[in-house]
């Protein structure tokens, strides 16, 4: 059985790759020419260079493969050109699904996101059946993941695409080379650069548990079904307290109101787009999303897949250790990591 894995140079994709290599499966990975290859070092996987927007490269990559894991995505909360994100996440997903279907791939595991699911109401936990619509989605990332997931499920209904959808929450752990928005929060907090917080919450999960959930979806997942791969629902204050405990720092004690941060975020985005060219230290979509806790239930994955996430503090320990070993904490202190 040969597997094609997209996004293996990234955070979730590399964790999936590590898990699949432990299962002694034959793996081909699809990466872009410009991809950071740090997460691929030492794993002996077959590397295929291509792009989700280049159909010929996808046809070459999928040739001879029985299984597709599609984890590749543009994961940014803020982007100066949202169309790039839409193209990668929506059109790119449609392209790889079409090529896989035409090649006769037997099963596909598609990495969606909890960002594609319905909103929380009064702090309740969202599950796979919570109703949702495009107008619920704040920002291009959530919109793109919503549209991509809808397209994948449409292809399943209309073309019998053999796909299982997994919806990871906010992964934390080793291998976050970019780093992701959630990983950046961990990195900044561990470096003493988060002096205050807002009243909100996230579902946080160890990235290696997300990877195991992908494999369990291959083994036990039902085609056309969605499975949330989450961990613990915790407040931002508790997240920052855990990070402080692990990194030997004092947690922030200042709670800021959302309405105070919002105008600052607008100014930061204008500065980033027209002057600095760097990602803003605060962005409007993040502030708007933070107005409601983003809590999710993994009960379906636990019951149907055998998914068993570990205590989330281990994710912070492993994340900070990896960042420290790879020099990120020192670099962010010198303002070389944005």
């Amino acid at each position: 059985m040969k597997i094609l894995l997209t996004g293996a140079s990234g955070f979730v994709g590399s964790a999936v790759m590590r898990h699949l290599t432990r299962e002694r499966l034959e793996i081909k990975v699809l990466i872009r020419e410009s991809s950071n290859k740090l997460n691929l070092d030492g794993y002996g996987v077959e590397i295929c260079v291509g792009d989700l927007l280049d159909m010929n490269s996808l046809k070459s990559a999928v040739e001879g493969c029985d299984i597709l894991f599609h984890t590749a995505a543009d994961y940014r909360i803020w982007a100066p050109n949202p169309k790039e994100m839409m193209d990668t996440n929506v059109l790119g997903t449609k392209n790889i699904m079409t090529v896989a279907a035409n090649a006769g791939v037997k099963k596909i595991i598609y990495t969606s996101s909890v960002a594609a699911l319905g909103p929380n109401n009064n702090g309740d936990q969202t599950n796979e059946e919570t109703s949702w619509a495009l107008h619920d989605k704040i920002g291009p990332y959530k919109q793109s993941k919503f549209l991509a997931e809808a397209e994948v499920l449409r292809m399943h209904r209309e073309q019998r695409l053999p796909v299982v959808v997994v919806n990871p929450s906010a992964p934390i752990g080793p291998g976050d080379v970019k780093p992701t928005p959630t990983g950046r929060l961990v990195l900044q907090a561990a470096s003493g650069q988060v002096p205050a917080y807002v009243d909100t919450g996230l579902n946080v999960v160890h990235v290696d548990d997300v990877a195991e959930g992908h494999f369990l979806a291959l083994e036990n997942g039902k085609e056309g079904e969605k499975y949330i791969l989450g961990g613990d629902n915790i407040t931002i204050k508790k997240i920052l307290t855990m990070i402080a405990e692990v990194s030997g720092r004092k947690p922030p004690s200042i709670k800021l109101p959302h309405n105070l941060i919002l105008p600052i975020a607008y100014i930061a985005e204008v500065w980033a787009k027209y002057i600095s060219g760097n990602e803003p230290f605060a962005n409007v979509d993040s502030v708007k999303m933070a107005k409601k806790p983003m809590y999710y239930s993994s009960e379906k994955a636990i019951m149907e897949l055998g998914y068993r996430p570990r205590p989330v503090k281990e994710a912070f320990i492993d994340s900070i250790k990896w960042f420290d070993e790879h020099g990120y904490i020192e670099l962010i202190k010198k303002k070389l990591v944005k």
Side-chain angles (χ1 to χ4, degrees):
M1 180 170 64
K2 190 169 187 177
I3 291 172
L4 174 64
L5 169 64
T6 71
S9 61
F11 185 33
V12 171
S14 64
V16 172
M17 180 193 68
R18 292 193 299 270
H19 190 96
L20 294 177
T21 56
R22 290 195 295 271
E23 299 292 338
R24 301 185 182 278
L25 298 170
E26 186 179 2
I27 304 165
K28 180 194 290 190
V29 300
L30 174 69
I31 62 171
R32 291 179 296 179
E33 185 67 45
S34 60
S35 295
N36 185 327
K37 300 178 179 61
L38 174 63
N39 281 331
L40 302 177
D41 290 348
Y43 285 95
V45 295
E46 180 184 350
I47 296 176
C48 183
V49 176
D51 193 287
L52 292 174
L53 302 180
D54 179 354
M55 293 293 279
N56 288 330
S57 70
L58 299 184
K59 290 175 184 176
S60 175
V62 81
E63 184 177 356
C65 293
D66 307 291
I67 305 294
L68 168 66
F69 282 84
H70 178 45
T71 74
D74 186 342
Y75 177 25
R76 292 175 288 169
I77 302 301
W78 180 85
N81 183 4
K83 184 178 182 301
E84 293 178 354
M85 185 180 296
M86 284 286 180
D87 286 346
T88 297
N89 292 350
V90 183
L91 179 57
T93 294
K94 182 178 180 180
N95 287 346
I96 190 68
M97 295 295 156
T98 299
V99 169
N102 291 340
V105 167
K106 297 180 178 64
K107 195 164 187 178
I108 300 168
I109 308 302
Y110 167 57
T111 309
S112 183
S113 168
V114 292
L117 301 175
N120 303 109
N121 294 308
N122 302 317
D124 294 339
Q125 295 181 29
T126 288
N127 61 33
E128 294 84 353
E129 303 305 319
T130 304
S131 61
W132 65 98
L134 182 60
H135 62 73
D136 294 325
K137 303 303 164 194
I138 298 172
Y141 176 70
K142 285 195 170 188
Q143 292 164 4
S144 68
K145 294 303 286 186
F146 172 85
L147 292 170
E149 182 183 285
E151 178 63 19
V152 168
L153 292 175
R154 182 198 65 79
M155 294 177 73
H156 167 73
R157 292 191 305 270
E158 298 180 5
Q159 303 172 25
R160 296 185 178 180
L161 187 74
V163 65
V164 179
V165 177
V166 291
N167 300 81
S169 60
I172 297 293
D176 196 355
V177 293
K178 192 167 279 189
T180 60
T182 317
R184 191 176 300 113
L185 172 64
V186 175
L187 180 57
Q188 290 172 336
S191 305
Q193 297 188 9
V194 181
Y197 64 95
V198 295
D199 184 18
T200 190
L202 295 173
N203 184 288
V204 183
V205 60
H206 198 298
V207 71
D208 289 342
D209 292 336
V210 172
E212 183 178 24
H214 279 68
F215 183 71
L216 291 170
L218 174 63
E219 287 195 315
N220 305 323
K222 299 176 183 177
E223 292 180 9
E225 293 290 329
K226 301 191 297 184
Y227 299 93
I228 294 172
L229 303 179
D232 292 346
N233 293 310
I234 48 178
T235 65
I236 286 292
K237 182 178 181 180
K238 180 62 176 175
I239 289 172
L240 295 174
T241 299
M242 283 189 183
I243 295 170
E245 290 172 355
V246 173
S247 56
R249 296 184 176 275
K250 290 184 178 180
S253 58
I254 302 171
K255 183 170 74 172
L256 298 177
H258 296 89
N259 291 337
L260 175 64
I261 303 174
L262 193 58
I264 297 172
Y266 277 109
I267 294 170
E269 284 196 7
V270 171
W271 181 271
K273 186 171 184 178
Y274 296 106
I275 299 176
S276 73
N278 296 320
E279 186 167 345
F281 68 90
N283 64 78
V284 174
D285 289 341
S286 290
V287 176
K288 289 181 177 179
M289 283 187 274
K291 288 186 176 182
K292 290 184 178 180
M294 290 167 275
Y295 292 157
Y296 301 90
S297 170
S298 301
E299 188 65 21
K300 182 178 178 182
I302 291 169
M303 297 299 294
E304 296 188 15
L305 302 183
Y307 177 65
R308 295 290 184 271
R310 74 195 73 184
V312 75
K313 188 171 183 178
E314 294 182 28
F316 295 116
I317 293 171
D318 291 346
S319 176
I320 292 169
K321 179 182 178 182
W322 189 89
F323 280 136
D324 190 30
E325 290 176 346
H326 289 80
Y328 282 70
I329 292 178
E330 190 62 32
L331 288 174
I332 200 170
K333 288 178 182 176
K334 296 178 180 178
K335 301 188 183 302
L336 296 178
V337 174
K338 303 296 183 182

